[in-house]
Amino acid sequence: MAELVVLEAHHIIKRFPGVVALKGVTFDLRPGEVHALCGENGAGKSTLIKVLSGIHPYGSYEGDVLLGGEIAEMRTVKDAELLGIAVIYQELASVPEMTVAENIFLGREPTRLGIIDRLKMEDEARKLLRRFGIEINPDLTMRDLGVGHQQLVEIVKALAKNGRVLILDEPTAALSESEVQILLQILRDLKTQGVSCIYISHKLDEVLAIADRITILRDGQSITTMEAARATKSEIIRHMVGREIQDLFPRRQTKPGEPMLTVRNLSVQGPPGATGLRNISFEVRAGEVLGIGGLMGAGRSELLMHLFGAWGKRISGSVDLAGEKLPTITPDRAISDGIVLVSEDRKRYGLVLEKSVGFNLSLSSLDRMSRMGLIDPTGEHAENQRMFDSLRIKARDMEALVGKLSGGNQQKVVLGKALMTRPRVVFLDEPTRGIDVGAKVEVYQLVNRLTDAGQAVVLVSSELPELLGMTDRILMLHAGEVGGTFVRGEADQEKLLAAALGQAIGSLEGKEQA
């Protein structure tokens, strides 16, 4: 590969009131290269992207950004786009009410005699989707698509601008395995066309599969740049966290107690167009972690949401909590009964982003902290402080706004809010999505604390290593049904994936023990 450089960041320093987010970061990108940026939440990755894409304008930082050897004075995002820099963020920026084609060409609609040429726009969108091997009808509205397909449309939208630098921030967080492979192949094709990519992901297997070089950021500094072909996951992690992490999945063996949650022959009707649940049975005991896996759309989140009282109409089956039959419930009844859900979408369903850490921590426990309809502020503050300290939430104090925290610390607040309800059963839906390796280990250690205390945990994850490493038993779903059940130590990724595809190699427990 030629040593020419497309984009350079020279000794970038970015200051905010009371903090220096970037401390002399240096970075460069070559033609036709995928250069991965790795680091813990709060390491400076997002700030660097905002400098490189004009969100933090020229003059607001120290150092230089060069594009093609010339200083790039980007004062707006539009300036960056005109220079050929396109960014795809983890948070979708689509317009739900508009069609796929309209979103792809938003702000660049083809016109004829001053009127939008819809036939041409839809035809061009269809060609773009076909070019990148994405089977999506351009006439559908974005709200008709799943999150994974919406993300792929965002990627096509960025590529349609003929950018020469593509920045992808956690692009696969909401994608299924098959969609991830489509994206990686798109990036390989773009490399052959000379497009350069900055790729940010916490999924190190993906980083090693697609990147040419890897730069590690830690505490606002560029620690090292290495050739991906000679890098290892353990080496990357060591540079990211500044220490060795001996065990990525520190699951402690516990002796399960009595059944805490028992589900028998559960069938649920979902909203029109949604996959229902059919004849699902399982139990989870006190002190045990039950993993639930499956492909996107298999019904994993829907199962947890139904048991929490937030999704679908029960057609048949029964649910027992600690030996007592539960009727169809509502979320507030579930919390009062000792069941709590940590949703996969923490920003939409788990947090009030414009409120403080303390406000969010106690939000689901206010009834318990109230006397005669009035909140006890002293008691609320004391309980919040204990949880704040216990989870080691990195924030100035409990008055800090949740929306300003890193992803890992936001997740800690969501978990703290759930634990303050004093649950007996904890539903964790993708609890480590979009957080770094160090924060993941802290979540896993929290799971150990829960089971040590005798609580039952149900963990939904799309990451097979996480299921294998952090659960005692695994239930794989396929199209709303049980595809297979497995015990810890006797399953592997091949067997789990086969069960998720409805081609189970053989249940290791037998469905009667599901």
Side-chain angles (χ1 to χ4, degrees):
M1 182 182 293
E3 291 300 315
L4 297 174
V5 173
V6 176
L7 180 67
E8 298 173 83
H10 282 310
H11 306 294
I12 301 297
I13 299 172
K14 176 60 181 174
R15 306 175 193 272
F16 295 102
V19 65
V20 182
L22 297 177
K23 306 170 185 176
V25 169
T26 295
F27 174 88
D28 66 81
L29 182 66
R30 300 168 184 167
E33 175 188 46
V34 175
H35 194 148
L37 267 181
C38 293
E40 294 190 274
N41 290 108
K45 304 187 301 295
S46 295
T47 304
L48 179 59
I49 286 176
K50 289 174 181 177
V51 168
L52 297 178
S53 61
I55 294 176
H56 292 324
Y58 178 75
S60 71
Y61 55 85
E62 299 169 46
D64 292 315
V65 174
L66 283 74
L67 193 65
E70 301 289 331
I71 292 178
E73 299 184 3
M74 296 176 289
R75 291 180 168 83
T76 65
V77 174
K78 191 68 175 178
D79 288 344
E81 289 182 352
L82 291 173
L83 290 171
I85 300 173
V87 186
I88 301 167
Y89 293 101
Q90 182 179 352
E91 307 296 330
L92 297 175
S94 56
V95 183
E97 295 78 14
M98 298 178 72
T99 68
V100 169
E102 288 170 334
N103 272 275
I104 289 175
F105 287 98
L106 188 61
R108 304 178 302 107
E109 297 86 351
T111 59
R112 184 180 182 186
L113 300 176
I115 300 173
I116 293 175
D117 189 339
R118 293 193 172 275
L119 288 177
K120 182 177 180 181
M121 182 170 64
E122 290 168 7
D123 183 57
E124 291 296 321
R126 193 171 284 107
K127 288 178 181 176
L128 279 168
L129 291 165
R130 191 181 305 123
R131 172 187 168 193
F132 296 115
I134 300 172
E135 296 182 5
I136 297 175
N137 185 344
D139 298 330
L140 291 175
T141 62
M142 292 293 283
R143 69 167 65 255
D144 292 330
L145 304 180
V147 175
H149 281 96
Q150 290 182 36
Q151 183 71 285
L152 291 176
V153 172
E154 287 287 294
I155 291 166
V156 172
K157 177 181 175 180
L159 297 175
K161 298 175 182 177
N162 296 317
R164 52 176 169 163
V165 174
L166 186 62
I167 304 175
L168 301 102
D169 186 5
E170 295 287 349
T172 65
L175 301 188
S176 68
E177 183 58 34
S178 60
E179 291 167 333
V180 169
Q181 295 309 314
I182 290 173
L183 173 61
L184 296 184
Q185 188 55 52
I186 288 173
L187 295 182
R188 292 185 186 104
D189 293 342
L190 289 173
K191 285 172 62 174
T192 66
Q193 300 170 32
V195 176
S196 303
C197 300
I198 300 173
Y199 192 89
I200 299 173
S201 178
H202 293 305
K203 299 180 180 180
L204 299 185
D205 287 331
E206 287 177 16
V207 167
L208 292 171
I210 194 63
D212 297 296
R213 289 188 296 156
I214 302 167
T215 289
I216 312 292
L217 299 185
R218 187 174 75 236
D219 296 330
Q221 297 177 297
S222 40
I223 301 301
T224 187
T225 296
M226 61 185 77
E227 298 293 328
R230 292 194 287 273
T232 64
K233 282 202 285 187
S234 59
E235 182 184 13
I236 295 170
I237 292 168
R238 177 169 55 82
H239 285 302
M240 284 173 57
V241 302
R243 65 187 188 280
E244 296 283 354
I245 293 183
Q246 301 298 332
D247 191 355
L248 288 178
F249 301 107
R251 177 71 186 130
R252 287 198 295 268
Q253 289 295 102
T254 58
K255 185 177 181 181
E258 295 298 314
M260 188 63 71
L261 183 71
T262 303
V263 176
R264 296 188 185 91
N265 304 315
L266 179 68
S267 294
V268 180
Q269 179 182 338
T275 300
L277 305 173
R278 293 180 295 280
N279 198 33
I280 292 177
S281 297
F282 66 88
E283 73 176 22
V284 57
R285 297 173 178 270
E288 182 181 44
V289 180
L290 173 71
I292 297 182
L295 303 179
M296 187 177 292
R300 303 166 304 178
S301 297
E302 289 80 1
L303 174 58
L304 295 195
M305 287 194 295
H306 175 76
L307 295 173
F308 187 63
W311 186 88
K313 178 182 178 182
R314 189 176 304 175
I315 300 170
S316 61
S318 63
V319 180
D320 292 358
L321 178 65
E324 296 185 9
K325 195 170 295 296
L326 282 181
T328 303
I329 59 176
T330 58
D332 58 343
R333 172 68 188 276
I335 290 173
S336 65
D337 284 340
I339 300 174
V340 71
L341 169 66
V342 175
S343 167
E344 67 172 325
D345 191 341
R346 59 177 174 264
K347 291 189 176 180
R348 185 176 179 186
Y349 297 120
L351 296 169
V352 183
L353 295 172
E354 64 273 16
K355 294 292 186 179
S356 69
V357 171
F359 177 94
N360 278 273
L361 281 174
S362 57
L363 191 57
S364 296
S365 310
L366 294 177
D367 283 348
R368 183 171 52 75
M369 299 176 184
S370 301
R371 300 289 182 274
M372 301 178 66
L374 297 176
I375 298 171
D376 173 13
T378 302
E380 179 193 19
H381 184 273
E383 288 204 36
N384 282 345
Q385 190 68 54
R386 279 193 291 271
M387 187 60 68
F388 182 86
D389 295 338
S390 172
L391 295 180
R392 295 193 294 275
I393 296 169
K394 293 180 181 177
R396 180 186 71 251
D397 52 36
M398 288 196 299
E399 295 304 311
L401 295 183
V402 165
K404 300 295 185 181
L405 303 185
S406 68
N409 283 291
Q410 287 181 354
Q411 189 69 344
K412 287 183 182 181
V413 175
V414 176
L415 290 164
K417 183 182 74 169
L419 299 184
M420 284 183 65
T421 66
R422 300 179 181 175
R424 293 183 282 177
V425 179
V426 181
F427 294 152
L428 301 177
D429 193 355
E430 301 284 8
T432 64
R433 172 171 287 172
I435 64 176
D436 60 71
V437 174
K440 283 185 178 184
V441 172
E442 291 190 72
V443 171
Y444 300 148
Q445 291 168 340
L446 176 59
V447 169
N448 283 335
R449 286 163 51 190
L450 292 174
T451 54
D452 287 347
Q455 291 160 301
V457 176
V458 181
L459 170 65
V460 164
S461 179
S462 56
E463 296 186 25
L464 298 183
E466 185 169 82
L467 287 175
L468 291 167
M470 281 306 299
T471 65
D472 301 304
R473 290 182 299 118
I474 302 171
L475 177 79
M476 296 300 291
L477 296 182
H478 167 71
E481 299 182 273
V482 176
T485 57
F486 307 86
V487 294
R488 179 180 175 88
E490 297 180 357
D492 57 31
Q493 293 195 39
E494 181 183 0
K495 291 175 181 177
L496 296 186
L497 186 56
L501 293 169
Q503 302 168 357
I505 297 171
S507 169
L508 300 181
E509 285 189 288
K511 289 191 177 181
E512 71 278 359
Q513 296 183 33

